[in-house]
Amino acid sequence: MDISAVNALSYEDFVNIFGNVVEKCPLITAAVWTSRPFIGLNALEAAINEFIDALPESGKEGILRCHPDLAGRDLHGGALTRESREEQRRAGLDALSSAEASRMARLNEEYKERFGFPFVVCARMNDKASILRELSERCQNERAAERARGIAEVKKICRLRLQGLVLPDAPNKL
């Protein structure tokens, strides 16, 4: 859909269509609906990012807590959102060897224990090997740095999900 169609959406339709561009956080898209009209995809993305950036640290951690464990029980139990299921599948997280699955589960638990929220990475920009490597490395970070890194990853995920829903901005013709 193009940005004029986005701007014409009712509140309910806007939230139904864009409610999961930030995983399980339809409140964010509900809040940015009032920023319409958007001049383009980039403006819609900027409104979402500004909303996230304005949250207190506890709100940002809340966003991170809405994300599932990568290659966790939600993937295998069919409880992931449609978007997360496809993103994890594309990264190969649905086809881990038993050693990889054990390592992923152990690192996910270590990460959550250390930071209080799940590990978030843009799976569509990674494969299973890079995700496992990054998960291991990021377990060493400080909490504030990891919260900021997780939110940066949330924004990458959001951007890709928005690009799947809205036509890109037309180039400026000078």
Side-chain angles (χ1 to χ4, degrees):
M1 97 179 57
D2 66 18
I3 201 64
S4 61
V6 171
N7 289 326
L9 291 171
S10 69
Y11 169 82
E12 292 80 11
D13 289 342
F14 186 85
V15 173
N16 284 337
I17 292 168
F18 296 101
N20 204 47
V21 295
V22 177
E23 185 78 10
K24 297 182 182 175
C25 292
L27 176 66
I28 294 173
T29 49
V32 302
W33 180 81
T34 61
S35 299
R36 292 172 313 122
F38 302 105
I39 59 170
L41 173 60
N42 291 335
L44 173 56
E45 179 186 6
I48 292 169
N49 288 344
E50 288 166 14
F51 182 90
I52 292 169
D53 291 342
L55 290 172
E57 299 309 312
S58 61
K60 292 173 185 170
E61 287 186 12
I63 289 172
L64 297 173
R65 285 187 195 101
C66 289
H67 283 261
D69 286 349
L70 292 174
R73 70 173 175 246
D74 288 348
L75 173 62
H76 302 294
L80 289 179
T81 62
R82 178 181 48 80
E83 297 89 346
S84 284
R85 183 176 57 251
E86 179 60 20
E87 291 158 355
Q88 289 195 35
R89 186 196 63 74
R90 282 186 185 178
L93 297 178
D94 62 339
L96 297 177
S97 69
S98 101
E100 290 168 330
S102 293
R103 183 169 180 237
M104 182 75 77
R106 180 181 50 77
L107 288 169
N108 273 329
E109 280 309 308
E110 180 182 322
Y111 185 95
K112 281 193 299 192
E113 196 172 295
R114 178 168 169 85
F115 299 113
F117 47 82
F119 172 73
V120 177
V121 68
C122 183
R124 282 172 60 184
M125 297 175 81
N126 290 278
D127 60 20
K128 65 183 178 178
S130 64
I131 290 169
L132 276 164
R133 184 174 52 255
E134 193 167 330
L135 176 53
S136 180
E137 291 168 1
R138 285 174 51 188
C139 280
Q140 309 311 310
N141 288 345
E142 295 299 319
R143 184 183 180 98
E146 194 50 34
R147 181 177 47 241
R149 179 64 186 273
I151 289 298
E153 294 295 318
V154 165
K155 290 176 180 179
K156 290 177 190 176
I157 295 164
C158 175
R159 178 170 187 68
L160 291 171
R161 288 180 180 184
L162 284 171
Q163 288 173 344
L165 296 169
V166 182
L167 294 173
D169 298 343
N172 290 333
K173 295 184 179 171
L174 299 174

